[in-house]
Amino acid sequence: MAALVRSPAVTSRETRGGVMARQSEAVMDRRRALGAMLAKQRESAGVQQSELGRRTHYSRISISHIEAGRQFPSRDFWKTADETCKCDGALLAEYDAVVAEENSSKIADLIARQSSSPSCGRPVEPLASAGSRQGSGVAPTPGGA
């Protein structure tokens, strides 16, 4: 039986459109920290998980998963949670920071994969210079018309 080999820096945690989304451990750590921050702020505000669930339209179990970093809801959830727990924008700002880090990680991963893929021996030019080389930036039509 073949052993499953997994990069220590990347983990698959959730699905989007049936495709596993791969997240770096750093991003997963930030998501867990955000969930822990939510739990702390919710408790400090005296809000039960069930009450936060009602206000955000999530179940109490989902709130538990979010606080543990196993579920990562949309910005609307974090906006409502921030208001409910009276966090003055702290939860929302941290959510935005996590999403920014996640996006940077995805871009870095795409660049790494692109630079490691063969280019058929041809140099790859940026789109802007390829278009300016043609003059108008518009691809020529077949037959030269």
Side-chain angles (χ1 to χ4, degrees), residues 34 37-38 41 75 77-98:
L34 178 57
M37 181 180 177
L38 171 62
Q41 296 296 334
R75 191 173 199 280
F77 168 88
W78 292 101
K79 182 176 188 286
T80 303
D82 191 278
E83 292 166 356
T84 300
C85 298
K86 298 175 180 32
C87 295
D88 297 323
L91 283 174
L92 198 55
E94 186 60 22
Y95 167 82
D96 289 339
V98 172

Side-chain angles (χ1 to χ4, degrees), residues 50-125:
S50 56
E51 176 61 21
L52 181 58
R54 277 192 293 279
R55 293 191 186 192
T56 58
H57 308 288
Y58 280 76
S59 69
R60 187 201 60 77
I61 296 296
S62 286
I63 300 300
S64 176
H65 287 293
I66 293 164
E67 290 179 350
R70 291 186 300 269
Q71 189 173 337
F72 195 66
S74 71
R75 191 173 199 280
D76 288 339
F77 168 88
W78 292 101
K79 182 176 188 286
T80 303
D82 191 278
E83 292 166 356
T84 300
C85 298
K86 298 175 180 32
C87 295
D88 297 323
L91 283 174
L92 198 55
E94 186 60 22
Y95 167 82
D96 289 339
V98 172
V99 169
E101 183 174 333
E102 183 176 330
N103 289 338
S104 294
S105 177
K106 286 178 184 177
I107 290 169
D109 185 48
L110 285 172
I111 291 170
R113 280 192 278 151
Q114 200 171 38
S115 66
S116 67
S117 67
S119 63
C120 302
R122 294 176 288 181
V124 178
E125 295 183 41

Side-chain angles (χ1 to χ4, degrees), residues 120-141:
C120 302
R122 294 176 288 181
V124 178
E125 295 183 41
L127 291 176
S129 65
S132 62
R133 188 181 73 229
Q134 296 295 326
S136 67
V138 177
T141 58

Side-chain angles (χ1 to χ4, degrees), residues 1-6:
M1 183 187 293
L4 176 64
V5 178
R6 189 163 121 190

